[in-house]
Amino acid sequence: GMLRDYENLELKRLSNTTRANVKIEDGCNQFCSYCIIPYARGPVRSRAQEDVVAEIKRLSQQGVKEIILTGTHLGAYGSQKGDNKALTKLLYRLTEIDELKRLRLSSIEGTEIDREIMDLLAEEDVFCPHLHLPLQSGSDQILEAMNRPYTVAEFRQTVAELREKIPDLAVTTDVIVGFPGETEETFAETLNVVKEIGFSKVHVFPYSAREGTPAAEMEQINGNIIKEYSKKMRLVNEALMLEYQKGFIDREKEVLVEEERDHKTDLLTGYTDNYLKVLLAGPDKLKNKLVKVKLKESVDPYHLKGKIVN
């Protein structure tokens, strides 16, 4: 079909200036069997490197401290021109922006993180030690039915290599439960793999058929069973979140304080580089600042309490 030029997405500014999403790519050529995106959004197209660098420079100069690079299939950035090093080159350019304090990747396939990207993430302080790597299932049989391009062993290996290079790394993920062909066994496998890898957060998606996708033609699982699976996986997620938090209690971390206070407690709130959400007592003038904080205790799976270190 016609290759649409990348619509120049000058991103709507976030209501606050602390963090901004910058979309660098749209479309996907991967055709996972549950996903409508390749049909709906079309093939991969990428924003020119110069545009991205210029926008992020401008945002940083306007006081945005953290940039999150997003895309429908981020790792495919530049691939429509046959340049499989485009993302690496872009990331390298972004490390040269002085005003930029933090750079985060929204989501990337484990298969697309090559050695160079690993080394860059490990060496350059601007990269947050947080990667969102979508696992989707812990069963090779289901991964194959999903048309995912890796096995559980390969995924596990990628995570192990990343953790070796990047201390404190938070690995967050997506998991689909109740995909056609899911059984008690494949679900149990996924639960075990998720616990074993020890993600710091799992986004749980109960499978629902998208018309026009191959998976919609497969034999569907009963909705009540899917609800049951989701509940179990969400409990595992909360346990993992608490477990991950525990490793950081009594440690000092920098927190980027958000513009909005926490609605319940009226405390300041913000994220560490490894994506722990922290509540803090402090004055408004700390908003949009990087503050050194001692992490004190878990409030719940989603928040820690911290104390500002002077």
Side-chain angles (χ1 to χ4, degrees), residues 266-309:
D266 207 38
L267 293 167
L268 293 173
T269 177
Y271 287 92
T272 61
D273 57 359
N274 61 332
Y275 215 59
L276 293 168
K277 193 169 193 190
V278 183
L279 298 173
L280 294 169
D284 279 352
K285 65 165 194 269
L286 295 179
K287 288 177 179 180
N288 198 27
K289 298 249 189 315
L290 279 159
V291 179
K292 202 163 206 177
V293 168
K294 187 165 190 178
L295 300 175
K296 301 301 276 183
E297 58 177 341
S298 291
V299 179
D300 58 37
Y302 306 92
H303 307 84
L304 288 141
K305 264 219 171 95
K307 196 170 182 319
I308 292 165
V309 178

Side-chain angles (χ1 to χ4, degrees), residues 38-283:
Y39 310 93
R41 298 254 184 95
V44 169
R45 45 217 186 274
S46 309
R47 252 174 108 179
Q49 180 181 289
E50 291 311 317
D51 282 357
V52 177
V53 173
E55 185 184 4
I56 292 177
K57 256 197 182 119
R58 195 184 74 238
L59 289 169
S60 304
Q61 283 159 358
Q62 289 171 356
V64 174
K65 300 286 192 300
E66 180 177 311
I67 295 290
I68 302 144
L69 294 181
T70 72
T72 308
H73 183 179
L74 197 59
Y77 176 76
S79 66
Q80 82 285 356
K81 292 205 172 80
D83 183 356
N84 64 354
K85 289 286 172 216
L87 185 61
T88 312
K89 288 181 228 168
L90 173 64
L91 293 177
Y92 196 81
R93 288 279 307 275
L94 297 178
T95 64
E96 293 164 357
I97 299 174
D98 289 337
E99 294 87 352
L100 184 57
K101 295 292 174 254
R102 282 183 180 180
L103 195 51
R104 212 183 279 282
L105 303 178
S106 64
S107 176
I108 189 164
E109 295 289 352
T111 51
E112 289 160 347
I113 303 178
D114 59 14
R115 284 284 157 355
E116 262 176 292
I117 290 186
M118 276 192 197
D119 290 338
L120 198 57
L121 296 181
E123 283 156 26
E124 296 287 340
D125 282 346
V126 73
F127 291 108
C128 292
H130 166 221
L131 286 169
H132 186 80
L133 309 175
L135 171 67
Q136 308 303 11
S137 172
S139 152
D140 283 340
Q141 178 200 325
I142 299 284
L143 287 173
E144 199 177 320
M146 288 176 165
N147 196 29
R148 301 288 288 157
Y150 52 85
T151 62
V152 173
E154 288 163 344
F155 187 97
R156 212 187 255 122
Q157 178 63 26
T158 301
V159 172
E161 283 175 40
L162 284 162
R163 283 182 169 148
E164 206 169 295
K165 288 185 190 239
I166 306 168
D168 292 357
L169 179 68
V171 183
T172 58
T173 199
D174 297 329
V175 169
I176 295 170
V177 300
F179 185 81
E182 185 94 87
T183 60
E184 289 291 341
E185 288 74 38
T186 59
F187 178 68
E189 263 180 87
T190 299
L191 271 185
N192 287 335
V193 168
V194 162
K195 287 183 206 165
E196 199 184 301
I197 291 176
F199 294 103
S200 61
K201 187 172 197 175
V202 181
H203 299 262
V204 183
F205 295 94
Y207 172 78
S208 70
R210 296 277 174 271
E211 212 172 313
T213 62
E217 306 300 308
M218 301 173 186
E219 180 121 6
Q220 306 296 304
I221 306 289
N222 176 301
N224 290 328
I225 295 177
I226 297 182
K227 275 202 189 84
E228 208 36 54
Y229 289 156
S230 303
K231 208 163 86 189
K232 285 185 179 155
M233 187 63 76
R234 290 197 172 104
L235 287 172
V236 166
N237 170 48
E238 296 200 334
L240 287 172
M241 289 180 79
L242 284 169
E243 188 56 35
Y244 184 73
Q245 285 178 10
K246 216 189 272 168
F248 294 91
I249 288 176
D250 288 333
R251 285 187 45 190
E252 285 182 11
K253 277 291 211 181
E254 270 194 321
V255 170
L256 177 55
V257 180
E258 306 269 334
E259 306 273 335
E260 294 287 321
R261 286 178 175 269
D262 177 64
H263 295 306
K264 274 201 195 115
T265 59
D266 207 38
L267 293 167
L268 293 173
T269 177
Y271 287 92
T272 61
D273 57 359
N274 61 332
Y275 215 59
L276 293 168
K277 193 169 193 190
V278 183
L279 298 173
L280 294 169

